[in-house]
Amino acid sequence: MLNLKFIQDNPDLVIEKLKTKNFDAAGIVGEIIDLYSEKNKLQGQADQAKAEMNKISKEIGLLFREGKKEEANAAKERTSELKENIKQFDQQFSAIEEQVNELLVLLPNLPHDTVPQGKGEEDNEVVTSAGEIPALDENALPHWELAQKYNLIDFELGVKLTGAGFPVYRGKGSQLQRALINFFLDEARKAGYEEVQPPLVVNEASGFGTGQLPDKEGQMYHVAADNLYLIPTAEVPVTNIYRDVILDAKDLPYKNTAYSACFRREAGSYGKDVRGLNRLHQFDKVEIVQIAHPEKSYKVLDEMVKHVSSLVEKLELPYRVLRLCGGDISFTAALTFDFEVYSAAQKKWLEVSSVSNFESFQANRLKLRFREEGVKKTQLAHTLNGSALALPRIVAALLENNQTSKGIKIPKVLVPYTSFEIID
RNA sequence: GGAGAGAUGGCAGAGUGGUCGAAUGCGGCGGUCUUGAAAACCGUUGUACCGAGAGGUACCGGGGGUUCGAAUCCCUCUCUCUCCGCCA
């Protein structure tokens, strides 16, 4: 959510910047500004009326104490009109506030200056390309066939237990999952992230804080009986750790990492790249989150991109980093780098990480503030997060790229975690 | 699932209709004292909005009501805790 005052002070900037996101904000911004001045006018009137009311009430109290009943009763009569006015001001005031909030929630975050103009994925900018694309045999298998051949993942069994998109990992497939999770968590810890194990189910306030609600309500599984949501990413509970808090500037940045299962309904995405591990309803992911000082958040973003790069490099996967264009970047992000690894049998780039700076967009919803030493006024912090990494597509690429006639080779860094070097 | 208790400032914890944005203690910050530190003592210490400022307003879990006036009374919702039952 953009800051109300910021919009008020920079309406043209907001409209101009949102054009990059292909969002025409002129109407909404105009309405917000009108409502804002109306709101202030009303508040001035309401506050004045309330001040008078408070004054009279105090006087009445004193008069009663002194036993001047008649004067007190006379004073009472003066209040009825005031009371009515206050009631009306308050009603109008909260109606306007509600309207403003409804409009505010419609505005996406402003894109960073470096976000390229564009309509969709095809306009994303490749900023890095690294690693060698392996030359596989003609008869190389896609990962879903490899998974079956080596009994690593049972998709049909998942359908029996739950439904499509809920695979059962078994044997070395299951061990490989565990190895990756531990590897990712260890790497994050070495990079200074504190590990946390958050709940996998969150309440409405948390969903709102990071921006899943109300915008992407249909994306999450909703536990209706308790009005709770299964998390689509650990970003939600981990970032919400910092909801409604005021931090000391000297303690920034806060760095957390968490492994979690992630649940996504993926409504409406059937038929598109859904084979095998490409798109699931439940998957594992290690997430990194940072709460940063606004002046340092882009440095932090770079650091996070480097961290994720190091992970795919250690796994010896060919990858590229994309700077998302205005048409592809999310509603909440100011700047996002996507990581894609090449899955050599499918001959496809698969997104395995998305690293974003949300600036103060989430912080404003979260009421996540910090205070500079000696300064009374609080400021909104910046939030950032990234996948480091999402497992399924990493597994897909590992299986496909490392297949040999003797089996599937495990990258060196993972061997201490898997305790086997080859899947055969 | 059954029964009960509760929700107040960073924490603990008073406050049952007016002078309460809220006692007191702890913690934090500043100071006095000290070679330094501790102790002791003194002062200070919530957030947000409006206003050029003086200042004003709101907030004692959320919403509504009674009243000239509500942290305090009433209704309602949510959450937390304790005990019992069941269970990992």
Side-chain angles (χ1 to χ4, degrees):
Chain A
M1 193 159 65
L2 294 176
N3 188 270
L4 185 53
K5 235 179 208 156
F6 180 82
I7 298 173
Q8 163 80 8
D9 293 340
N10 310 279
D12 297 333
L13 182 72
V14 170
I15 293 166
E16 192 53 38
K17 283 207 167 194
L18 284 181
K19 282 182 185 161
T20 306
K21 282 200 173 180
N22 306 319
F23 189 93
D24 181 6
I28 294 176
V29 167
E31 263 186 87
I32 286 176
I33 287 174
D34 289 348
L35 287 167
Y36 185 79
S37 66
E38 181 71 8
K39 176 183 93 84
N40 286 352
K41 208 175 102 196
L42 273 168
Q43 185 175 349
Q45 291 171 317
D47 283 1
Q48 207 180 347
K50 284 178 188 173
E52 180 149 354
M53 189 67 149
N54 288 342
K55 205 176 122 204
I56 294 175
S57 292
K58 270 184 192 160
E59 283 169 11
I60 292 174
L62 284 172
L63 289 171
F64 269 121
R65 182 153 322 161
E66 292 165 15
K68 298 175 181 168
K69 266 197 178 166
E70 276 177 32
E71 283 179 55
N73 284 325
K76 271 192 200 181
E77 282 175 25
R78 286 196 286 142
T79 62
S80 62
E81 193 187 344
L82 262 181
K83 209 177 171 183
E84 189 52 39
N85 287 343
I86 289 171
K87 204 172 172 182
Q88 274 183 18
F89 285 139
D90 277 349
Q91 268 170 13
Q92 289 172 45
F93 185 79
S94 47
I96 285 179
E97 215 169 32
E98 202 178 310
Q99 282 177 59
V100 170
N101 285 334
E102 275 169 20
L103 290 169
L104 274 179
V105 161
L106 296 178
L107 289 176
N109 197 5
L110 303 187
H112 188 257
D113 286 339
T114 60
V115 170
Q117 196 67 244
K119 280 185 188 150
E121 354 180 343
E122 65 281 359
D123 297 318
N124 293 335
E125 186 184 295
V126 178
V127 292
T128 312
S129 216
E132 249 173 76
I133 291 175
L136 297 182
D137 284 357
E138 281 291 303
N139 51 3
L141 299 174
H143 69 269
W144 51 89
E145 287 181 30
L146 292 165
Q148 189 173 30
K149 179 175 171 186
Y150 295 105
N151 193 28
L152 303 174
I153 305 168
D154 193 330
F155 291 97
E156 282 75 34
L157 185 55
V159 171
K160 172 185 169 183
L161 300 181
T162 307
F166 293 91
V168 176
Y169 302 86
R170 56 196 322 165
K172 283 185 172 172
S174 181
Q175 286 172 260
L176 177 59
Q177 290 286 114
R178 195 150 51 79
L180 282 165
I181 292 164
N182 283 331
F183 168 63
F184 292 146
L185 284 174
D186 283 350
E187 292 292 307
R189 182 168 42 77
K190 287 178 199 161
Y193 292 87
E194 183 207 7
E195 184 179 335
V196 292
Q197 284 198 28
L200 304 183
V201 183
V202 292
N203 58 27
E204 237 176 318
S206 294
F208 178 81
T210 34
Q212 279 70 27
L213 295 175
D215 323 316
K216 290 188 268 179
E217 168 133 38
Q219 265 250 42
M220 292 190 288
Y221 287 96
H222 183 214
V223 184
D226 299 291
N227 195 25
L228 297 171
Y229 295 85
L230 304 202
I231 59 171
T233 158
E235 164 198 348
V236 179
V238 174
T239 311
N240 272 280
I241 290 173
Y242 302 96
R243 166 151 51 84
D244 241 329
V245 297
I246 300 173
L247 306 167
D248 280 340
K250 64 174 162 50
D251 296 330
L252 298 172
Y254 281 77
K255 302 170 75 170
N256 289 105
T257 184
Y259 150 71
S260 86
C262 301
F263 304 90
R264 298 188 183 177
R265 294 185 62 229
E266 300 291 355
S269 65
Y270 287 99
K272 192 184 157 205
D273 297 334
V274 295
R275 291 238 31 203
L277 295 170
N278 289 347
R279 177 172 254 108
L280 300 172
H281 288 305
Q282 180 185 327
F283 63 96
D284 292 307
K285 181 159 65 67
V286 171
E287 185 79 0
I288 51 176
V289 171
Q290 290 209 42
I291 311 301
H293 192 288
E295 284 164 20
K296 307 227 174 96
S297 68
Y298 281 95
K299 243 186 203 160
V300 165
L301 182 66
D302 280 347
E303 175 202 313
M304 291 170 81
V305 165
K306 284 206 182 82
H307 177 73
V308 176
S309 304
S310 80
L311 296 178
V312 277
E313 277 164 19
K314 284 177 184 173
L315 291 173
E316 301 167 49
L317 291 169
Y319 73 98
R320 60 184 194 184
V321 183
L322 308 174
R323 185 193 301 271
L324 294 195
C325 74
D328 204 27
I329 194 170
S330 77
F331 187 83
T332 45
L335 181 59
T336 298
F337 292 101
D338 268 9
F339 279 71
E340 296 183 336
V341 297
Y342 194 73
S343 203
Q346 297 184 73
K347 299 194 168 73
K348 260 186 191 160
W349 290 100
L350 301 177
E351 183 193 331
V352 292
S353 176
S354 201
V355 186
S356 305
N357 187 353
F358 302 92
E359 297 193 0
S360 58
F361 192 82
Q362 289 181 330
N364 197 26
R365 292 176 159 224
L366 292 161
K367 296 197 169 54
L368 162 51
R369 293 154 293 170
F370 72 96
R371 201 191 320 263
E372 214 77 64
E373 175 101 44
V375 180
K376 183 137 175 93
K377 183 84 186 135
T378 61
Q379 302 176 53
L380 292 172
H382 281 192
T383 62
L384 303 96
N385 68 51
S387 345
L389 289 163
L391 295 235
R393 294 173 187 162
I394 289 288
V395 170
L398 284 178
L399 297 182
E400 293 185 12
N401 296 11
N402 297 343
Q403 58 184 305
T404 68
S405 54
K406 288 179 191 149
I408 298 162
K409 289 190 296 183
I410 300 296
K412 279 193 286 302
V413 284
L414 278 186
V415 173
Y417 290 92
T418 53
S419 75
F420 52 81
E421 291 174 25
I422 194 159
I423 294 170
D424 50 14

